Amino acid sequence: MPKAVYVHIPFCEQICHYCDFNKVFLKGQPVDEYLEACEREMNELVRRFPTKQIDTIYIGGGTPSALSALQLEKLLGDLVDVFQPKGEFTIELNPGNADEEKLSVIKDAGVNRLSIGVQAFQKDLLEKIGRTHEEKDIYETINNARKYGLDNISIDLMFGLPHQTLEMFAETLRKALELEVPHFSAYSLKIEEKTVFHQLFRKGKLQLPREDEEVAMYDLLIDTLTSNGFHQYEISNFGKVGFESKHNLTYWNNDEYYGIGAGAHGYVYGQRYANAGPIKKYITSVTETGLGMFDQHQVTEQEKIEEEMFLGLRKLEGVSISRFEERFGKSPMDIFAKEIEHLRLQGLLTVEGGRISLSRNGLFLANEVFEKFLL
């Protein structure tokens, strides 16, 4: 039964060079019609796949803060009406495009957590990755948010960027800590298809840090944040105690959630689904059927077992053996005995306290570890 809601807002005023999420330029798009479709989809999902209570809502993109204040008011009002949220309620913002009017709307609707796409502090680096904000916009957005009592703030950072050095990343971490926010998400750059960076990479025109430099940046990230009182609770996420992202934990705990909007993914009643990505196709689908789904898949028992392992291992606390047994009637130590022992001997996994989790070395080779649990 779904416990969370993800809403995708695919509109952007500027397309970042690394982004492969479903997005389009805002100008000329049928935004109001899109929001009406989202409202209809919300209601239809709840009708077909009822739930008892929604614990978290997350509005991502794209750039949700690219919406006007009136459009935000419409979207947030619909979410409150349909889902009656009582827990964590997050919206993504870009520095510089969430003015006080929008922040007032956000606060009044009951949003209680912000995720701000900072990525870096250096002007040249921001320009190289296609970001349009400046360092001053970061401080202004956070200061304005705090005026409205929006103190539960997470910021996104990136490392392994073109021309980024270890010293530059150290400066980014120092400035990020000075913001005194309670949560950080920090991701290494991945070159994804259909992005500007992918085109440049294919042409040999993208100067990236060496692998050992990227590893050093991740090492620095872990050491710097943990020594400053942040708890690393997932491969890329660090929070003060009590400020972990409850919504993202829904994914890593392999729990169900509604996905709303163009290109959104959801997991309801044992079924994973993906919505149509093109805006007009999504709107047409919702108009005709009430839902935006174009791909649906009933998850098999084997797939659920695999997902329980590789999603759970993203968390630093790892996979609970007792929870696994409750869900599947057997122990992961029996199903994956050879794999777990092999990875343990390699120093990539630990098994203690009723949990299977990545070691410090395992964090750096996580994808290789996850592959071992695909049956």
Side-chain angles (χ1 to χ4, degrees), residues 57-58 88-93 106 110-115 150-155 183-185 233 237 243-248:
I57 295 178
Y58 191 104
E88 183 184 273
F89 193 169
T90 305
I91 188 169
E92 291 181 352
L93 305 179
I106 287 168
V111 172
N112 52 31
R113 185 174 183 271
L114 305 179
S115 177
L150 295 162
D151 298 312
N152 188 357
I153 296 171
S154 174
I155 66 172
H183 190 276
F184 293 99
S185 295
Y233 66 99
N237 285 271
F243 287 92
E244 298 85 355
S245 171
K246 295 178 179 63
H247 181 84
N248 285 342

Side-chain angles (χ1 to χ4, degrees), residues 302-320:
Q302 177 178 315
E303 288 168 335
K304 289 178 182 178
I305 287 171
E306 293 172 350
E307 291 171 353
E308 189 78 9
M309 292 302 295
F310 68 72
L311 290 172
L313 283 171
R314 291 195 63 90
K315 300 177 295 179
L316 270 286
E317 69 175 20
V319 174
S320 165

Side-chain angles (χ1 to χ4, degrees), residues 67-334:
L67 299 178
S68 70
L70 279 175
Q71 289 164 343
L72 277 172
E73 189 172 29
K74 152 82 177 158
L75 172 65
L76 296 171
D78 291 340
L79 283 165
V80 170
D81 288 345
V82 175
F83 296 108
Q84 301 174 12
K86 295 179 175 60
E88 183 184 273
F89 193 169
T90 305
I91 188 169
E92 291 181 352
L93 305 179
N94 270 3
N97 78 347
D99 58 25
E100 292 198 40
E101 183 183 10
K102 293 181 185 179
L103 289 167
S104 177
V105 168
I106 287 168
K107 175 66 175 178
D108 289 346
V111 172
N112 52 31
R113 185 174 183 271
L114 305 179
S115 177
I116 301 177
V118 170
Q119 317 308 359
F121 286 80
Q122 297 82 8
K123 179 178 173 63
D124 289 348
L125 194 54
L126 287 167
E127 290 175 353
K128 281 184 173 68
I129 64 177
R131 303 291 284 180
T132 56
H133 71 265
E134 298 180 9
E135 184 177 353
K136 64 179 179 62
D137 297 321
I138 299 168
Y139 305 122
E140 182 179 349
T141 299
I142 290 176
N143 288 336
N144 285 339
R146 285 173 170 153
K147 287 181 189 176
Y148 287 90
L150 295 162
D151 298 312
N152 188 357
I153 296 171
S154 174
I155 66 172
D156 286 353
L157 302 174
M158 295 184 73
F159 60 95
L161 298 172
H163 304 281
Q164 188 181 34
T165 65
L166 184 62
E167 291 72 26
M168 291 169 72
F169 189 54
E171 179 186 44
T172 285
L173 290 174
R174 177 178 60 78
K175 291 185 174 182
L177 285 166
E178 289 172 354
L179 296 171
E180 297 185 340
V181 297
H183 190 276
F184 293 99
S185 295
Y187 305 97
S188 63
L189 174 67
K190 296 289 183 286
I191 306 300
E192 305 285 0
E193 291 188 12
K194 300 179 182 178
T195 64
V196 172
F197 276 171
H198 185 255
Q199 296 170 19
L200 293 173
F201 183 75
R202 288 183 60 192
K203 295 175 183 176
K205 295 182 179 180
L206 195 64
Q207 183 180 326
L208 297 172
R210 299 188 313 271
E211 184 177 348
D212 63 318
E213 292 175 319
E214 186 174 331
V215 168
M217 290 181 195
Y218 187 46
D219 234 347
L220 179 67
L221 170 73
I222 295 172
D223 290 342
T224 300
L225 293 185
T226 54
S227 66
N228 278 276
F230 286 84
H231 164 55
Q232 184 181 14
Y233 66 99
E234 191 267 346
I235 291 173
S236 302
N237 285 271
F238 303 76
K240 296 285 188 179
V241 174
F243 287 92
E244 298 85 355
S245 171
K246 295 178 179 63
H247 181 84
N248 285 342
L249 283 166
T250 299
Y251 305 144
W252 304 320
N253 287 330
N254 203 18
D255 291 327
E256 295 191 345
Y257 60 95
Y258 297 114
I260 294 158
H265 291 245
Y267 185 22
V268 293
Y269 286 55
Q271 172 184 282
R272 291 196 181 273
Y273 67 88
N275 280 352
I279 308 301
K280 290 184 179 178
K281 187 174 180 180
Y282 166 76
I283 292 173
T284 299
S285 176
V286 174
T287 300
E288 293 176 351
T289 70
L291 297 175
M293 298 178 185
F294 86 97
D295 184 36
Q296 298 158 262
H297 172 69
Q298 197 69 33
V299 183
T300 66
E301 187 77 356
Q302 177 178 315
E303 288 168 335
K304 289 178 182 178
I305 287 171
E306 293 172 350
E307 291 171 353
E308 189 78 9
M309 292 302 295
F310 68 72
L311 290 172
L313 283 171
R314 291 195 63 90
K315 300 177 295 179
L316 270 286
E317 69 175 20
V319 174
S320 165
I321 294 172
S322 62
R323 173 186 158 110
F324 189 102
E325 291 172 341
E326 287 172 13
R327 284 193 165 189
F328 304 109
K330 42 196 163 184
S331 170
M333 303 300 293
D334 296 328

